[in-house]
Amino acid sequence: MNPTGNPIFELQGVSKSFGTVSALQDLSFSVYPEEVHCLLGDNGAGKSTLIKILAGVHRPSKGSYLIDGQPVHMASPRDALERGIGTVYQDLAMIPLLSITRNFFLGREPKKGWGPFARFDVAKADEIVVKELSEIGIDVRDPGQAVGTLSGGERQCLAIARAVHFGARVLILDEPTSALGVHQATMVLKYVAQARNRGLGVIFISHNIHHAYAVADRFTLLNRGRSKGTYQRSAISRDEVLNVMAGGEDLQRVEQEINRLAGRNQQSIH
């Protein structure tokens, strides 16, 4: 897919430093409606810092954050939520012993009654949860069951469905398939595609090229806090993505050094 129209949001020349340590340097990318934009990078690429900037936890040291073309300043994660930026962290921010419904509405429960007599409308909440999850293929027989009884893939889909229900225009997914098996990862990837088809922009942050490549429309590749370019999926192969992510030139130098040392060792044996 080639993006059309205007981006929902953009980062322009964003850098983030912690004292003398530079975590991100001059990073720019955008996300459009009906697009899955994958941010790919290995450990130490700056993904964690970037997530916190996108979610309003950190403010960039330099650069601009634009939503619908207008510069904004995120003072907190609540600011991001109110502007339609929903973040699903790797730990999912769920309480295993609470029910599916309680986790879905955590802090935003529908009420019935008035004033001091207002109380959680359990029946309405359960109805919403069953409907939302059935639309993504999860059959919940008892929304009152503990969320810890769900599979990893089901919990991930629940967290995404929660963000969509509460008005996210952009979904930021932090390593959504990292701890999942093949079947559960497939479930999550299908729902990511569904979210895109609903008109959302999705930022899929991962180090797993195989999962990302299955749903991505565009890639921005990160290495040591810097962007190594943004590519249409059709313009770059899996092997090329891996080479850029890992720092192909560095790997070649390491391989040459290993071969050189192996040659010396073999010579000393003879």
Side-chain angles (χ1 to χ4, degrees):
M1 168 195 145
N2 291 315
T4 57
N6 299 315
I8 302 175
F9 83 81
E10 305 169 75
L11 291 187
Q12 295 181 348
V14 163
S15 299
K16 180 63 179 177
S17 298
F18 299 94
T20 59
V21 178
S22 177
L24 293 174
Q25 301 175 56
D26 196 29
L27 181 63
S28 299
F29 77 95
S30 57
V31 63
Y32 289 76
E34 299 184 20
E35 177 189 29
V36 178
H37 192 135
C38 288
L39 300 177
L40 286 168
D42 212 340
N43 293 334
K47 300 192 302 297
S48 296
T49 301
L50 177 58
I51 291 165
K52 290 176 182 177
I53 289 175
L54 296 174
V57 177
H58 290 329
R59 296 184 68 175
S61 304
K62 295 180 181 178
S64 302
Y65 195 143
L66 287 75
I67 296 181
D68 296 324
Q70 300 299 314
V72 297
H73 298 283
M74 300 291 191
S76 69
R78 183 172 293 277
D79 280 355
L81 286 171
E82 290 175 352
R83 295 177 186 275
I85 310 299
T87 303
V88 178
Y89 292 100
Q90 196 169 353
D91 62 8
L92 302 180
M94 290 189 179
I95 303 172
L97 295 180
L98 287 185
S99 70
I100 296 171
T101 297
R102 283 285 187 180
N103 273 281
F104 189 92
F105 286 99
L106 209 56
R108 292 177 281 190
E109 294 84 355
K111 304 287 186 180
K112 62 180 179 180
W114 178 82
F117 303 104
R119 60 196 184 280
F120 182 27
D121 190 341
V122 178
K124 180 179 179 180
D126 284 347
E127 181 182 346
I128 291 171
V129 167
V130 170
K131 176 178 178 294
E132 291 287 340
L133 295 185
S134 67
E135 288 182 358
I136 61 175
I138 298 177
D139 181 21
V140 176
R141 287 172 289 183
D142 178 14
Q145 74 188 73
V147 82
T149 63
L150 299 178
S151 71
E154 288 171 334
R155 288 196 298 272
Q156 187 69 239
C157 288
L158 173 63
I160 297 172
R162 177 175 63 186
V164 173
H165 176 76
F166 285 106
R169 300 171 60 206
V170 175
L171 277 175
I172 302 168
L173 306 180
D174 174 17
E175 299 278 5
T177 59
S178 64
L180 304 181
V182 174
H183 175 72
Q184 294 180 21
T186 300
M187 176 193 303
V188 173
L189 294 175
K190 285 181 179 178
Y191 189 43
V192 169
Q194 286 182 29
R196 172 182 56 200
N197 293 341
R198 290 186 182 189
L200 277 71
V202 180
I203 299 174
F204 188 108
I205 299 173
S206 181
H207 68 276
N208 190 319
I209 176 57
H210 304 293
H211 291 167
Y213 208 84
V215 293
D217 296 301
R218 288 193 296 160
F219 298 99
T220 292
L221 307 181
L222 304 175
N223 186 283
R224 299 179 182 178
R226 291 182 177 274
S227 171
K228 294 297 182 179
T230 295
Y231 304 87
Q232 294 292 333
R233 181 177 182 272
S234 59
I236 189 167
S237 69
R238 291 177 195 247
D239 288 343
E240 289 171 328
V241 170
L242 284 169
N243 190 53
V244 174
M245 279 174 58
E249 294 179 359
D250 291 343
L251 287 178
Q252 288 176 5
R253 285 196 293 268
V254 169
E255 185 177 355
Q256 289 171 0
E257 181 66 12
I258 290 172
N259 289 337
R260 185 179 66 81
L261 292 172
R264 283 184 179 177
N265 288 337
Q266 289 176 358
Q267 289 174 9
S268 64
I269 291 172
H270 295 296

